[in-house]
């Protein structure tokens, strides 16, 4: 198993209490959040516990209360298909569903999220550099390569990506269990493979 970022490998090994992780370990991870924290560092959060179904993160904003589902995901896919250099956004495609929103803001949804959160293992990573140019080169390098590591987590059911640069969406072909995804400020050089999003139960994609 080859990771582009050693700190990601270290975090995975720490999750399993091993010196080296393999594909069978990664297949056990059901929840993954990864990307930039918007505080000049990067992060990864993982859990082997099954995420709530439907998935709602109640300590964030209202992105899941307005997430796309079913035919609404198909509309987004059709709108973005064939484009290049894009940041996916569900703005303008949201559908008012008061029953769904009531659930998203309910005590039940909050308790389910809290239960998952108790089993989430996280790691932050930051490198200090002598000059701003060196720091920016390192930072942009991580933003542009971290997708190679997230593409290894093919067993996840819920994937949350923040602030990365990804060539396209073809890496989702191997994510056979994926049912919910979130892309925040995430850029794609092309939307090749975007049709894979049609298989999702929930999709949240927004610009900060």
């Amino acid at each position: 198993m080859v990771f582009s970022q050693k700190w990601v490998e270290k975090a995975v090994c720490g999750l399993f209490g091993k010196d080296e992780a393999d594909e069978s370990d990664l297949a056990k991870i059901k929840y993954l959040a990864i990307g930039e924290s918007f505080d000049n560092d990067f992060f990864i959060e993982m859990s082997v516990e099954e995420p709530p179904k439907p998935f709602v993160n109640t300590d964030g904003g209202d992105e899941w209360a307005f997430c796309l589902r079913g035919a609404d995901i198909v509309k987004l896919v059709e709108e973005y298909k064939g484009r290049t250099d894009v940041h996916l956004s569900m703005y303008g495609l949201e559908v008012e569903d008061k029953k769904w929103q009531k659930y998203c803001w309910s005590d039940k949804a909050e308790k389910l999220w809290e239960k998952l959160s108790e089993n989430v293992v996280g790691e932050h990573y930051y490198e200090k550099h002598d000059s701003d140019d060196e720091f920016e080169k390192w930072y942009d390098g991580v933003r542009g390569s971290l997708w190679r590591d997230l593409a290894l987590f093919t067993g996840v059911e819920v994937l949350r990506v923040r602030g990365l640069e990804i060539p396209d969406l073809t890496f989702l072909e191997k994510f056979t269990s994926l049912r919910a995804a979130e892309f925040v400020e995430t850029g794609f050089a092309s939307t090749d493979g975007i049709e894979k999003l049609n298989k999702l139960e929930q999709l949240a994609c927004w610009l900060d």
Side-chain angles (χ1 to χ4, degrees):
M1 183 65 60
V2 180
F3 292 86
S4 69
Q5 301 293 319
K6 292 297 182 182
W7 63 273
V8 173
E9 181 177 17
K10 180 181 177 182
V12 173
C13 290
L15 175 65
F16 293 102
K18 302 173 66 174
D19 294 329
E20 187 174 340
D22 55 34
E23 291 184 9
S24 64
D25 293 320
L26 290 179
K28 297 174 184 176
I29 296 173
K30 302 303 179 185
Y31 172 83
L32 174 67
I34 190 169
E36 62 172 342
S37 70
F38 302 139
D39 194 24
N40 287 338
D41 67 358
F42 295 90
F43 76 96
I44 185 171
E45 296 176 347
M46 304 166 287
S47 177
V48 297
E49 299 296 322
E50 184 175 359
K53 188 175 183 179
F55 179 78
V56 176
N57 163 30
T58 59
D59 64 5
D62 57 7
E63 63 269 23
W64 294 104
F66 290 94
C67 71
L68 306 181
R69 296 175 292 149
D72 299 326
I73 296 177
V74 175
K75 289 180 182 177
L76 179 137
V77 169
E78 287 301 315
E79 181 169 318
Y80 280 92
K81 188 184 298 183
R83 292 194 191 181
T84 58
D85 192 22
V86 301
H87 288 75
L88 301 180
S89 173
M90 60 188 184
Y91 180 74
L93 296 172
E94 312 97 312
V95 176
E96 185 76 16
D97 187 335
K98 293 185 177 180
K99 183 178 179 180
W100 167 251
Q101 290 169 358
K102 183 178 180 180
Y103 171 75
C104 290
W105 295 320
S106 68
D107 290 340
K108 180 179 180 180
E110 183 174 2
K111 289 178 180 178
L112 288 173
W113 168 248
E114 289 178 351
K115 183 179 179 181
L116 175 66
S117 298
E118 292 173 356
N119 297 285
V120 171
V121 174
E123 182 85 29
H124 279 255
Y125 184 70
Y126 173 84
E127 281 189 15
K128 189 174 182 180
H129 292 266
D130 294 333
S131 69
D132 290 343
D133 287 343
E134 289 180 355
F135 176 81
E136 290 178 6
K137 183 177 181 180
W138 164 77
Y139 201 81
D140 290 344
V142 177
R143 288 186 70 237
S145 63
L146 192 51
W147 72 270
R148 300 179 186 278
D149 290 335
L150 79 85
L152 300 174
F153 293 79
T154 56
V156 298
E157 296 182 14
V158 174
L159 172 66
R160 307 177 69 190
V161 183
R162 182 185 295 171
L164 300 186
E165 296 295 331
I166 304 177
D168 52 46
L169 290 115
T170 57
F171 73 94
L172 293 176
E173 293 177 359
K174 296 182 179 180
F175 281 59
T176 56
S177 300
L178 189 65
R179 54 183 170 84
E182 178 182 30
F183 298 104
V184 183
E185 293 284 353
T186 296
F188 298 90
S190 85
T191 55
D192 290 350
I194 195 172
E195 293 87 355
K196 301 299 177 182
L197 298 178
N198 285 331
K199 297 182 179 180
L200 299 180
E201 297 173 10
Q202 299 172 252
L203 173 64
C205 42
W206 46 285
L207 306 179
D208 216 19

